[in-house]
Amino acid sequence: MSQTNSYRKPYNPPIDKTWWAKHPFYFRYMLREGTSFAAVFAGLEIMLGVFMFALCDFTAPVATAQSTAPYLWFVQEFLGNPLVLLINVAVLGAALFHAVTFFALMPKAVRVFMNKTTTELVPEMMVQGALYAAFGGATVVILALAFLTMP
């Protein structure tokens, strides 16, 4: 078997580091992908809260400030830190941006048919409206439960 070696150098055009910022489509795409860092921060923050809650002393007959010190530190010192509050506001904005772009993409990614006998699709606005209604309903239920359980 003979093998032909090519000694030509392939052309690799120079790529600028900010290639994605020059076109609005790619900019929005990279911005949406960048929201993953906010999701990672939110996940780590929740895991830290669960870990601090697990460090509490549950053997005490009555909860005191000393038995719940790790979780109180998490809520008061960590979550109360102005920098963490600012980051959480940015995370909320990133999550809302991600949800809006996901809801806009959903009718194009998932084809929902009207019924079994036709190929007519459910209108995009109905799919998006259902997603926004579910999002709003879940938000109302979670906020209602949070406020109803407050002392």
Side-chain angles (χ1 to χ4, degrees):
M1 288 192 148
S2 67
Q3 185 177 5
T4 306
N5 292 331
S6 174
Y7 296 102
R8 294 177 57 193
K9 286 177 63 178
Y11 175 67
N12 294 323
I15 298 175
D16 190 21
K17 291 180 183 176
T18 58
W19 63 268
W20 52 271
K22 294 182 174 89
H23 193 279
F25 174 80
Y26 295 124
F27 181 77
R28 285 190 307 270
Y29 174 78
M30 294 300 282
L31 187 63
R32 184 177 193 282
E33 293 300 311
T35 60
S36 63
F37 293 111
V40 167
F41 178 79
L44 290 174
E45 188 176 56
I46 290 170
M47 287 190 334
L48 177 65
V50 169
F51 180 71
M52 288 298 165
F53 186 73
L55 287 178
C56 293
D57 181 22
F58 295 111
T59 59
V62 177
T64 61
Q66 188 173 359
S67 66
T68 59
Y71 191 70
L72 288 177
W73 171 86
F74 172 72
V75 172
Q76 293 174 349
E77 301 296 325
F78 182 75
L79 293 180
N81 187 337
L83 180 62
V84 174
L85 284 171
L86 187 65
I87 292 171
N88 281 334
V89 169
V91 165
L92 176 64
L96 290 175
F97 174 74
H98 192 83
V100 167
T101 57
F102 178 77
F103 293 166
L105 176 69
M106 183 57 81
K108 296 169 184 63
V110 177
R111 297 171 47 113
V112 182
F113 294 103
M114 288 289 233
N115 56 36
K116 293 186 220 178
T117 59
T118 66
T119 58
E120 187 178 353
L121 296 173
V122 173
E124 288 186 9
M125 291 304 290
M126 283 183 67
V127 175
Q128 287 180 348
L131 289 169
Y132 280 112
F135 184 70
T139 302
V140 167
V141 167
I142 290 170
L143 288 176
L145 288 173
F147 284 117
L148 289 175
T149 57
M150 289 176 71

